[in-house]
Amino acid sequence: DIVHNVQAAAASNPVLVVGMRGNPHCRRARRMLDAAGIAHQYLEYGSYLSLWRARNALKMWTGWPTFPMVFVRGTLIGGADNLARQIESGELKRSLSV
């Protein structure tokens, strides 16, 4: 069910951040997008102690082991560090303008 929710949100939002409560990297990703003026959707699934099984399904589906999971135009680009590189290089804005 969680995988279907994320698939639908990734398909219908240019930028989607999937995260969890209490994770500083998820907050960092959202702050970077806000600072860059890039609108995004955020889905939060539990915290370190809750909903870990549901998050594990996402990890298995994507092959990405950590949170956040950042999707651009329906494609997983990685986590906060990958997002930072794409923002700094201008690649994110270019891919959103296409």
Side-chain angles (χ1 to χ4, degrees):
D1 202 35
I2 188 173
V3 171
H4 295 293
N5 291 343
V6 171
Q7 283 176 323
S12 62
N13 293 284
V15 179
L16 172 68
V17 179
V18 180
M20 55 186 276
R21 195 170 35 260
N23 184 315
H25 302 289
C26 298
R27 282 192 302 275
R28 183 173 144 238
R30 295 173 69 200
R31 286 184 187 143
M32 285 187 289
L33 289 165
D34 289 341
I38 298 170
H40 63 281
Q41 175 71 25
Y42 179 65
L43 296 178
E44 183 174 272
Y45 292 103
S47 65
Y48 284 100
L49 301 176
S50 67
L51 296 178
W52 63 269
R53 282 189 179 105
R55 286 193 310 276
N56 204 36
L58 283 176
K59 291 177 182 184
M60 290 174 17
W61 170 62
T62 62
W64 190 255
T66 60
F67 288 90
M69 294 178 180
V70 182
F71 294 83
V72 176
R73 295 201 178 275
T75 301
L76 176 69
I77 65 163
D81 291 339
N82 302 74
L83 176 65
R85 281 191 290 277
Q86 286 204 8
I87 289 173
E88 289 169 12
S89 71
E91 184 179 345
L92 181 62
K93 285 195 176 182
R94 281 192 300 278
S95 64
L96 290 172
S97 66
V98 173

